[in-house]
Amino acid sequence: MIGNYSFKEGEKSLKFNKEIASKMKMEYNARKGKATELFNYYIGRSKSVREYPKTDRSNRIVSDNFIKCFTDEEVSFMVGLPVNYVDKTNRESLAYIENVLNGVSATIDVELATNMLIYSTAYEFYYKNNDEFNIKVLSPMEGYGYLDSNGNVQLFMYFFKKELDNNDYILFVDDEYIYEMDSDFNILKNRNGEELKKPHYFNFCPVGVAKLPNGIYDTLGYNLGSLQDAYNYVNSDWGNEIGDTRLAYLALYGLSLDDEDAAKMKEKGILQIPDAKGKAEWLIKNIDPNFVKEYRDAIKEDIYRVAQHIDNQENVQSNTSGSMLSTRLNCLRLKIMTQNSALKNCIKMRLRCLFRFLDVEKNKNFNYKDVEIRPQINLPKNDVETAQIISQLPEGILSKQTARSLFSFMYNPSREQQLIDEEMKKEMDNEILDIHAKEQDG
C-alpha cells in the first residue's frame, strides 16, 4: 500500500498519474538507504572498514568479506546449472524458450539471483528491442515496483542517467505504456515534439519480481553484518598490535618528554636519557594470543552457523562420499531450495511475457502455466548411488524423465527425451531401409 492507494484482486489495474508516481518515488527513496547499506556490505565496504578508529600510530584495516563469499557461493549453487523447463502439454514450446533465451545475456539468472540475495528483492523488466525479446535485471537501487496482494507488479519505476548527462530520468511502466520522463514526471518529447510514451502489447505490467519470503531479514547482509564487523575489528586490532605494539606503553624513568620531543623520537627512533639512573622500558599488556585466536574463531564459527554454510578449509572427516557431503550440506540445500522458489516466481512472469511475445511476433500460442520450472541445485550428488536406487525400484513407480532429472550431469531431461526419440526414429528408419534392401537383393 502507498498512501491511500492499495490494489485488491478484481480491481481495475492502476494507470500512471503524477500523484501515485510521486508516492512511489518517496517509497523508493525511503528504501534506498537500506539497499545501499546491504550493497556496501556485499562489496566489503562495511562499518568496520569505513569507521575503524584512527590513531596517530598504525591504522591497518584487515577485512574478510564473508557476505560476498557466501552470496556468490549460493548463487553458484542456485543457478550454476541451467534452469530446466518441462512442458506438460506441448514440447514445441521448449524449443522456442531455448531459442529466444539464447538471445538474452547468458548470465541473466546469475544477475537475478545475485541481486535477490543482496537486497532480498530483484526485478526483471521485459521489453522488445529490434524485434528481439529482451530482459533487464534491476535492483532496488535502480527501481521500485508497486505490488498487488498476490505479489505481482502493477506499476514500475526505473531510475537512470544518460551518457554525458547529469540529469535524472525515469522510465515508468504500467499495463499499457512505457513512459520516459524527467525527475518531475514530465513526459519527455522527441525531436518531432512527440511524447516518449510507447505502447506495449503485453496487456499487463511486464515486470517480474523475485523476493525472499522475509525481505531483508533473510539477507546475509542483515544477518551477518555485525558478526563480520566483529571479526574484522579483531583482525584489524591484532594486526595493528603487531604493527605498532599497541598492547604496550613506553615507561620513562629519570626524564620528561613533551609532545614535540615524543614526535621527534618516534620519527627518528632515538631516545636520549640524561640521567645515568634513568631508563626506558615497555610495559606490556600480557594478553595470551590464544585468547584473541579463540575469540576470532568463535566469531567465525557463528558466521558459518548463521549463514548455514560449511567451512571448506577445515579438516573434514575421512568419509568424503557423496552421501556424506550431501548430509553435511543438508541445511544449505534446504536454504537454496527456498531461494529457488523465490526465483521461480519471477521466471514464471518471464515465461508469461515471452509467450506473449511469441503470440504477437510468431503467432505461437503457448500457456506459461503448462510449463514446469525446475531450477537445478548445483550441489554434490552421488550419481552411482542414485542409479542403484533407481534400478531397484519396481516398474511403474518412477517415470524416465523424473529419473533423468535426478542425475547431476543431466542438464535438460526434456531435451534428452527429444534426442532419444530422434535417435530411435533414425534407427528404426535405418532398419526398415536394411529390410527393403535385403528383400530387393533376394
Side-chain angles (χ1 to χ4, degrees):
M1 183 171 178
I2 301 177
N4 295 322
Y5 292 93
S6 62
F7 188 92
K8 298 180 180 178
E9 190 174 1
E11 290 183 355
K12 187 177 180 181
S13 58
L14 295 171
K15 308 293 183 184
F16 165 72
N17 66 71
K18 285 192 176 183
E19 184 181 359
I20 193 170
S22 297
K23 293 180 182 294
M24 288 175 65
K25 186 177 180 181
M26 289 174 59
E27 190 70 18
Y28 161 78
N29 288 327
R31 299 185 183 193
K32 189 176 179 181
K34 177 58 70 175
T36 301
E37 187 68 1
L38 291 171
F39 179 72
N40 282 337
Y41 271 84
Y42 173 72
I43 64 174
R45 199 161 58 225
S46 60
K47 182 180 178 181
S48 57
V49 173
R50 303 192 310 265
E51 302 178 13
Y52 185 75
K54 298 292 192 298
T55 71
D56 59 352
R57 294 173 288 174
S58 175
N59 291 292
R60 300 170 180 174
I61 297 177
V62 182
S63 175
D64 271 339
N65 194 346
F66 289 98
I67 292 174
K68 186 178 189 305
C69 176
F70 292 159
T71 299
D72 294 347
E73 188 174 23
E74 289 180 17
V75 169
S76 69
F77 291 154
M78 292 169 64
V79 293
L81 296 175
V83 176
N84 282 335
Y85 301 95
V86 179
D87 195 323
K88 294 170 283 189
T89 61
N90 191 343
R91 284 188 190 172
E92 184 185 9
S93 69
L94 302 179
Y96 278 95
I97 292 173
E98 184 177 354
N99 182 57
V100 174
L101 293 184
N102 278 341
V104 179
S105 171
T107 60
I108 195 71
D109 290 329
V110 173
E111 293 176 43
L112 179 64
T114 301
N115 279 283
M116 184 187 73
L117 294 187
I118 294 174
Y119 305 104
S120 81
T121 302
Y123 302 100
E124 280 191 346
F125 171 43
Y126 313 104
Y127 61 100
K128 175 184 150 185
N129 185 36
N130 296 327
D131 295 327
E132 296 281 342
F133 181 77
N134 281 271
I135 304 174
K136 185 173 183 63
V137 175
L138 298 166
S139 75
M141 298 272 285
E142 303 166 291
Y144 173 76
Y146 177 40
L147 311 185
D148 64 15
S149 58
N150 294 320
N152 298 314
V153 180
Q154 295 299 317
L155 299 171
F156 187 74
M157 302 176 71
Y158 165 40
F159 301 85
F160 67 99
K161 289 182 178 291
K162 298 180 179 180
E163 288 189 17
L164 305 178
D165 188 342
N166 293 326
N167 295 317
D168 295 321
Y169 295 97
I170 299 171
L171 209 66
F172 193 98
V173 187
D174 61 19
D175 63 355
E176 287 188 275
Y177 296 98
I178 299 173
Y179 307 82
E180 191 170 335
M181 299 179 264
D182 62 20
S183 58
D184 294 321
F185 305 108
N186 299 307
I187 301 175
L188 302 179
K189 296 181 180 180
N190 60 20
R191 294 179 180 178
N192 298 324
E194 300 168 334
E195 289 187 337
L196 296 179
K197 173 184 173 182
K198 300 178 181 178
H200 61 76
Y201 49 53
F202 292 104
N203 298 329
F204 51 84
C205 185
V207 178
V209 59
K211 189 174 182 179
L212 294 176
N214 299 307
I216 64 170
Y217 304 111
D218 283 338
T219 62
L220 290 168
Y222 179 85
N223 290 295
L224 297 185
S226 60
L227 286 170
Q228 180 160 299
D229 282 335
Y231 188 85
N232 288 340
Y233 279 132
V234 170
N235 280 338
S236 295
D237 287 346
W238 202 356
N240 286 316
E241 296 300 346
I242 297 172
D244 66 5
T245 321
R246 191 167 291 188
L247 284 175
Y249 291 93
L250 179 62
L252 301 175
Y253 304 90
L255 78 157
S256 60
L257 200 66
D258 58 25
D259 291 344
E260 183 179 352
D261 290 336
K264 291 180 180 178
M265 181 198 75
K266 181 179 178 181
E267 178 184 358
K268 298 181 179 180
I270 299 174
L271 176 63
Q272 185 177 9
I273 302 177
D275 190 339
K277 295 182 180 179
K279 65 176 181 177
E281 63 181 8
W282 289 105
L283 295 180
I284 299 175
K285 299 175 185 177
N286 189 17
I287 297 179
D288 186 353
N290 287 329
F291 168 77
V292 179
K293 183 179 183 303
E294 289 173 3
Y295 178 53
R296 185 193 66 172
D297 290 347
I299 297 173
K300 185 177 180 181
E301 288 179 8
D302 283 343
I303 289 174
Y304 276 94
R305 176 181 56 79
V306 172
Q308 299 178 3
H309 283 243
I310 61 172
D311 188 354
N312 294 318
Q313 305 302 318
E314 69 177 0
N315 294 326
V316 299
Q317 301 175 8
S318 58
N319 185 356
T320 57
S321 65
S323 57
M324 177 56 68
L325 288 174
S326 179
T327 300
R328 296 185 71 224
L329 290 167
N330 191 51
C331 289
L332 180 57
R333 184 187 299 276
L334 296 175
K335 180 181 182 181
I336 297 300
M337 290 173 65
T338 301
Q339 292 168 347
N340 273 342
S341 295
L343 275 190
K344 286 171 65 175
N345 290 331
C346 185
I347 296 175
K348 284 179 184 177
M349 179 58 72
R350 182 192 299 177
L351 292 181
R352 184 182 179 188
C353 290
L354 189 155
F355 284 177
R356 176 62 180 160
F357 168 83
L358 291 174
D359 184 22
V360 174
E361 297 293 329
K362 308 291 184 182
N363 197 27
K364 291 292 181 180
N365 187 15
F366 302 120
N367 189 345
Y368 75 96
K369 295 180 180 179
D370 292 334
V371 179
E372 184 178 351
I373 302 164
R374 293 182 181 177
Q376 300 186 79
I377 299 180
N378 190 23
L379 289 173
K381 288 184 179 180
N382 190 327
D383 292 325
V384 174
E385 291 180 2
T386 301
Q388 291 174 344
I389 293 172
I390 292 174
S391 66
Q392 295 172 6
L393 292 175
E395 191 172 347
I397 297 295
L398 190 69
S399 70
K400 292 182 179 179
Q401 182 160 307
T402 301
R404 291 190 194 97
S405 67
L406 300 176
F407 292 100
S408 61
F409 55 84
M410 195 68 64
Y411 298 144
N412 193 332
S414 298
R415 178 61 176 163
E416 197 66 29
Q417 182 62 55
Q418 292 178 355
L419 294 173
I420 291 172
D421 293 343
E422 291 171 4
E423 287 179 356
M424 292 180 64
K425 184 178 182 303
K426 186 176 180 180
E427 290 175 359
M428 290 179 62
D429 291 342
N430 290 336
E431 289 179 3
I432 293 173
L433 290 175
D434 290 340
I435 292 172
H436 288 325
K438 291 178 180 179
E439 291 177 349
Q440 291 176 359
D441 292 342

